[in-house]
Amino acid sequence: MIQFKNIIKSFGPKTVLNDVSFDVPTGSVFFIIGASGVGKSVLIKHLVGLLYPDSGEIWLDDEEISKFDEQQMGPIRKKCAMVFQHSTLFDSMTCAENVALPLRKHKNLSLKDALGEARKRLQMVHMQEFGDRYPPELGDGMRKRVAIARALTLDPTYVLFDEPTTSLDPVSARRVDVLIRELSDKLGVTSIVVSHDLVSIFSIADRIAMLYRGKLRMLGSREEFRATPDGVVQQFINGHATGPMEL
Ligand SMILES: Nc1ncnc2c1ncn2[C@@H]1O[C@H](COP(=O)(O)OP(=O)(O)OP(=O)(O)O)[C@@H](O)[C@H]1O
């Protein structure tokens, strides 16, 4: 379980997160939503030690990671893998070699064993037949799935997705949604997804946290979000140009 407790984070005079608290239940697909610039990426960067709160606590499986130094964050980064918005695959390596890279680095496997493990991860994302292809030969959706396979190499408990469907065509986006759902349902992975994609949110989220003007505006299920009388939430989830939201 992940717990954010009273997180405050400012950059200079600008307070981005102002007393944000919520829990992410284990095994769930948990979405963090909100307008551009509201602090969604800032929040998830705290989970891998890319940022630290000015005050407040972050707990991950009974450890207060917001107090951890760089060395202590090492094992946390294995437990908590991140899939960045833009694919960070190496173009000069095959997909299997890309996925094998963290195994070679962290598990000291031989090339042959690492490639064998990599092919298993590619199978998890339904990309097994593309192991010998190079990333530039593939479309954006397939590259995203290879990046997800690479994030799975060290058997993480948590996978953080930063806008995984942004810039994908609708069919590829839905395939990525299905995959994120499968990772939770079949492997028990807890997925934290930062997204604006309303179709994704309302197809696969177990729980949703909406940030607004530095605060947690609402935490709930898809049904609770659909039913809320909160005008700000309704404007956001219905994508209305006008309404009470201040941008
Ligand atoms: N390292 C940093 N230094 C200064 N300001 C930062 C830093 N990182 C983020 N910010 C600011 O924090 C605010 C929130 O940024 P963040 O990237 O979390 O937004 P977001 O909700 O993920 O937006 P988007 O949906 O557009 O990606 C922005 O105003 C951004 O400029």
Side-chain angles (χ1 to χ4, degrees), residues 9-12 14-17 32-45 50-51 85 162-163 194-196 211:
K9 179 70 181 174
S10 301
F11 295 102
K14 185 175 179 184
T15 301
V16 176
L17 301 173
I32 300 174
I33 68 171
S36 239
V38 78
K40 305 179 296 293
S41 303
V42 164
L43 191 61
I44 63 168
K45 283 178 182 167
L50 289 172
L51 290 171
Q85 186 178 347
D162 199 356
E163 301 193 15
V194 164
S195 181
H196 291 122
L211 298 178

Side-chain angles (χ1 to χ4, degrees), residues 11-190:
F11 295 102
K14 185 175 179 184
T15 301
V16 176
L17 301 173
N18 189 3
D19 200 12
V20 171
S21 302
F22 61 87
D23 296 350
V24 178
T26 300
S28 60
V29 175
F30 191 100
F31 272 64
I32 300 174
I33 68 171
S36 239
V38 78
K40 305 179 296 293
S41 303
V42 164
L43 191 61
I44 63 168
K45 283 178 182 167
H46 282 79
L47 288 172
V48 284
L50 289 172
L51 290 171
Y52 285 86
D54 299 333
S55 69
E57 296 173 3
I58 299 164
W59 288 77
L60 195 138
D61 298 341
D62 304 322
E63 290 183 297
E64 192 191 340
I65 61 165
S66 40
K67 284 206 166 66
F68 279 13
D69 61 21
E70 188 55 28
Q71 197 184 357
Q72 290 170 302
M73 277 318 283
I76 301 302
R77 291 192 184 116
K78 289 181 194 159
K79 209 175 189 182
C80 222
M82 188 146 175
V83 178
F84 292 95
Q85 186 178 347
H86 300 289
S87 156
T88 50
L89 302 172
F90 291 103
D91 287 353
S92 58
M93 292 179 170
T94 65
C95 292
E97 286 167 351
N98 265 286
V99 177
L101 213 56
L103 292 162
R104 297 270 286 155
K105 188 172 168 207
H106 295 286
K107 288 202 170 164
N108 241 342
L109 295 187
S110 68
L111 181 59
K112 184 168 171 279
D113 290 348
L115 285 172
E117 286 293 314
R119 287 180 197 283
K120 284 187 204 158
R121 302 309 189 283
L122 285 169
Q123 197 154 14
M124 288 176 185
V125 301
H126 314 297
M127 287 290 290
Q128 59 273 24
E129 65 268 45
F130 296 94
D132 295 326
R133 303 279 285 274
Y134 289 85
E137 298 178 73
L138 306 176
D140 287 344
M142 286 186 170
R143 279 206 297 272
K144 180 68 74 181
R145 286 195 274 155
V146 175
I148 295 172
R150 190 181 52 182
L152 296 174
T153 47
L154 301 176
D155 302 319
T157 318
Y158 302 97
V159 182
L160 316 180
F161 295 90
D162 199 356
E163 301 193 15
T165 55
T166 301
S167 79
L168 297 185
D169 66 78
V171 173
S172 300
R174 302 298 66 88
R175 286 190 178 144
V176 168
D177 288 346
V178 169
L179 182 57
I180 293 172
R181 192 65 255 176
E182 273 180 16
L183 297 181
S184 284
D185 294 345
K186 294 191 182 160
L187 304 177
V189 164
T190 304

Side-chain angles (χ1 to χ4, degrees), residues 218-231:
M218 182 171 173
L219 178 69
S221 64
R222 288 178 273 177
E223 295 70 29
E224 287 165 335
F225 266 74
R226 281 205 188 94
T228 181
D230 184 329

